[in-house]
């Protein structure tokens, strides 16, 4: 039996990325379907100029767009991203029919592929969000902490990310949740290192996680570490990227943030993490990072296999 070929959701993290969220114009479904079937070939052609740069593009399809573009049976876990509203913090749901996660070791290759894809989609789809991500020092976010430490490795990657026998028609596919967070670095940088470590639940320099007994109830790592009924930790893959500008933000200063990209075989896992962060576990005990980080976008997509895209 030949197993379906997944998209590059399990490929190594890279130094650069371009994230594009698009909405499909009425009547543009056919153009979008044809373009999505060609994405992998386009990435290979552009990436061949420097194969060591590992250019790839992961395509995600939103719930409403899936019916418009493909029709027929639907992935079992695909649904619109639902706003999560706590007493003090909100994870908004924002429009998105197609998500393109273009990544490589070089930003120029990402940019070239993004330009080619959007040219093909002109008149059929509109870019509603575009973010250029970059690696910041030793895989740190702009808050100064290493990001993605708890990503699964080895055989655990496929088990955590790829749909299996539970939804056989879509085996090998995945789901991705994306959010754009803006950071208040002025407030964050005014905190002591000890206060920052308490908010994250890790040592800042070494990246070593604090013992559970020493974590505050609202530490980020405490709220995003979840288990199933048997006590097995539920893992996702975070392919987050910092982004920002040094000027031109709402107050005339810079706009800094983290683009969260979470891949999973079951979107309920990420949704549970987000409820813990924004509502609290127990309710009211919310993620300390939300005191300096504001989610401004949020959407959910199914990531088909290569055969599903090209078929």
């Amino acid at each position: 039996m030949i197993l379906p070929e997944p998209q590059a959701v399990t490929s190594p993290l890279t130094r650069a990325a371009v994230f594009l969220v698009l909405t499909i114009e009425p009547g543009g479904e056919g153009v979008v379907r044809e373009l999505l079937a060609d994405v992998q070939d386009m990435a290979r052609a552009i990436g061949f100029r420097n194969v060591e740069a590992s250019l790839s593009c992961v395509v995600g399809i939103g719930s409403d767009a899936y019916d418009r573009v493909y029709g027929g049976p639907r992935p079992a876990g695909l649904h619109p991203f639902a706003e999560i509203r706590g007493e003090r913090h909100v994870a908004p749901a924002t429009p998105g029919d197609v998500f393109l996660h273009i990544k490589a070791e070089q930003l120029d290759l990402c940019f070239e592929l993004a330009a080619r894809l959007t040219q093909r989609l002109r008149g059929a789809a509109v870019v509603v969000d575009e973010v250029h991500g970059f690696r910041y020092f030793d895989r740190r976010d702009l808050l100064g902490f290493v990001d993605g430490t708890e990503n699964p490795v080895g055989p655990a990657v496929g088990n955590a990310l790829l749909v299996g026998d539970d939804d056989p028609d879509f085996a090998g596919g995945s789901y991705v949740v994306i959010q754009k967070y803006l950071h208040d670095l002025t407030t964050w940088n005014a905190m002591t290192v000890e206060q920052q470590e308490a908010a994250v639940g890790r040592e800042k320099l070494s990246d070593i996680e604090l013992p559970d007994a020493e974590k505050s109830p609202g530490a980020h790592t405490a709220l995003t570490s979840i288990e199933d009924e048997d006590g097995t930790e539920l893992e996702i893959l975070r392919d987050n990227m910092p982004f920002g500008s040094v000027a031109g933000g709402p107050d005339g200063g810079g706009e800094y943030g983290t683009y969260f990209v979470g891949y999973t075989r079951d979107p309920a896992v990420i949704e549970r993490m987000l409820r813990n962060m924004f509502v609290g576990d127990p309710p009211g005990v919310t993620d300390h990072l939300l005191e300096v980080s504001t989610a401004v976008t949020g959407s959910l997509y199914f990531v088909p296999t290569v055969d599903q895209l090209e078929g």
Side-chain angles (χ1 to χ4, degrees):
M1 177 180 177
I2 300 176
L3 296 176
E5 179 187 354
Q7 294 189 61
V9 297
T10 63
S11 63
L13 306 185
T14 57
R15 300 188 64 88
V18 172
F19 306 104
L20 296 175
V21 176
L22 303 98
T23 56
I24 301 173
E25 296 284 87
E29 293 82 4
V31 174
V32 171
R33 183 167 54 250
E34 292 176 4
L35 181 278
L36 297 186
D38 291 341
V39 165
Q40 305 305 319
D41 285 342
M42 293 174 68
R44 279 191 290 269
I46 293 172
F48 191 72
R49 305 175 195 181
N50 184 355
V51 294
E52 289 80 11
S54 303
L55 176 67
S56 66
C57 179
V58 174
V59 175
I61 312 295
S63 180
D64 294 340
Y66 192 90
D67 294 331
R68 294 170 60 192
V69 174
Y70 293 112
R74 288 170 53 88
L78 183 58
H79 56 267
F81 182 80
E83 176 187 282
I84 300 173
R85 181 174 293 272
E87 293 182 0
R88 301 177 54 241
H89 306 294
V90 178
T94 52
D97 290 329
V98 177
F99 172 58
L100 300 176
H101 179 185
I102 304 168
K103 59 181 183 177
E105 292 298 308
Q106 298 177 195
L107 184 57
D108 57 346
L109 291 175
C110 298
F111 184 86
E112 173 72 4
L113 180 55
R116 295 284 184 171
L117 293 173
T118 53
Q119 287 170 10
R120 283 272 305 269
L121 291 172
R122 191 166 297 157
V126 176
V127 176
V128 294
D129 195 30
E130 175 180 352
V131 173
H132 295 200
F134 55 88
R135 184 187 294 177
Y136 190 59
F137 296 118
D138 47 339
R139 298 197 184 280
R140 296 180 184 267
D141 57 28
L142 294 179
L143 301 179
F145 283 78
V146 176
D147 201 357
T149 302
E150 294 301 317
N151 280 348
V153 296
V157 175
N159 294 335
L161 304 190
L162 303 181
V163 174
D165 294 339
D166 49 327
D167 193 8
D169 288 342
F170 298 95
S174 187
Y175 295 88
V176 61
V177 173
I178 64 170
Q179 293 177 296
K180 183 165 67 174
Y181 286 87
L182 299 181
H183 301 322
D184 177 359
L185 290 187
T186 300
T187 298
W188 178 255
N189 290 331
M191 297 167 61
T192 66
V193 171
E194 290 76 16
Q195 290 172 325
Q196 294 177 352
E197 291 177 339
V200 175
R202 288 186 178 277
E203 294 180 0
K204 189 171 186 178
L205 179 61
S206 69
D207 189 41
I208 295 175
E209 188 168 346
L210 300 178
D212 289 343
E214 297 180 16
K215 289 182 183 178
S216 65
H220 180 70
T221 55
L223 293 175
T224 56
S225 296
I226 61 175
E227 300 175 345
D228 63 15
E229 296 177 353
D230 298 326
T232 301
E233 185 173 359
L234 299 174
E235 296 182 300
I236 66 172
L237 187 140
R238 298 167 177 84
D239 206 343
N240 305 347
M241 276 280 187
F243 68 91
S245 59
V246 296
D251 60 356
E255 185 174 83
Y256 311 96
T258 296
Y259 203 91
F260 168 76
V261 180
Y263 287 103
T264 177
R265 67 181 295 167
D266 181 3
V269 175
I270 295 179
E271 291 166 335
R272 181 177 162 190
M273 292 179 178
L274 294 178
R275 283 194 297 271
N276 287 355
M277 292 172 58
F278 285 83
V279 177
D281 183 24
V285 180
T286 53
D287 194 322
H288 291 326
L289 287 183
L290 296 181
E291 302 303 321
V292 297
S293 299
T294 302
V296 295
T297 69
S299 47
L300 165 69
Y301 305 88
F302 178 67
V303 179
T305 64
V306 172
D307 288 343
Q308 289 167 340
L309 275 181
E310 297 179 347

